Amino acid sequence: MARCPVCGRGRLFAGVLKFRDRCEACGADFSRLEDTGDGPAIFVIFIVGIFIVPLPVLLSVVAGWPSWLSLGIFIPVIVVVSVLLLRWLRGAMFTQQWRRAAREQRFQGKS
Ligand SMILES: [Zn+2]
């Protein structure tokens, strides 16, 4: 999901989460498509919040781990998993927007 939706060869991201303006392989203009907005972040919040955040609490309460240990392990895990998941979901949503030629809707009629 981190490759160009047109040619599949060029990289989609310029950094960890920032999209490139153009495909380096085929020259497709990524800047003409609107950003993916808050959609990927909502999915990350639900996935990480439901499946990962309860783990340090369970380890502290059920298994008796000290809080500093479970938080020391899981805070970096939550950050890394969130960024990786956000990157993957941003790429997936951008690709779906591109393939469906999605555009930002604007009001054009009278009120
Ligand atoms: Zn391309």
Side-chain angles (χ1 to χ4, degrees), residues 2-69:
R3 294 289 168 180
C4 170
V6 178
C7 68
R9 292 176 311 180
R11 289 176 291 178
L12 187 57
F13 291 97
V16 177
L17 295 172
K18 185 179 183 311
F19 291 118
R20 292 179 177 277
D21 290 333
R22 305 191 150 273
C23 175
E24 60 197 354
C26 70
D29 184 9
F30 298 150
S31 65
R32 72 178 176 84
L33 189 63
E34 293 294 327
D35 198 358
T36 55
D38 296 335
I42 298 299
F43 285 113
V44 170
I45 289 168
F46 281 123
I47 293 168
V48 171
I50 291 171
F51 295 107
I52 298 180
V53 169
L55 293 176
V57 176
L58 286 174
L59 286 172
S60 293
V61 173
V62 176
W65 282 29
S67 295
W68 63 267
L69 179 60

Side-chain angles (χ1 to χ4, degrees), residues 84-104:
L84 292 176
L85 203 54
L86 193 56
R87 179 183 166 96
W88 184 79
L89 285 166
R90 278 175 61 86
M93 292 184 92
F94 184 90
T95 300
Q96 291 305 312
Q97 284 180 336
W98 186 282
R99 289 185 179 156
R100 289 165 171 59
R103 298 288 176 274
E104 184 177 356

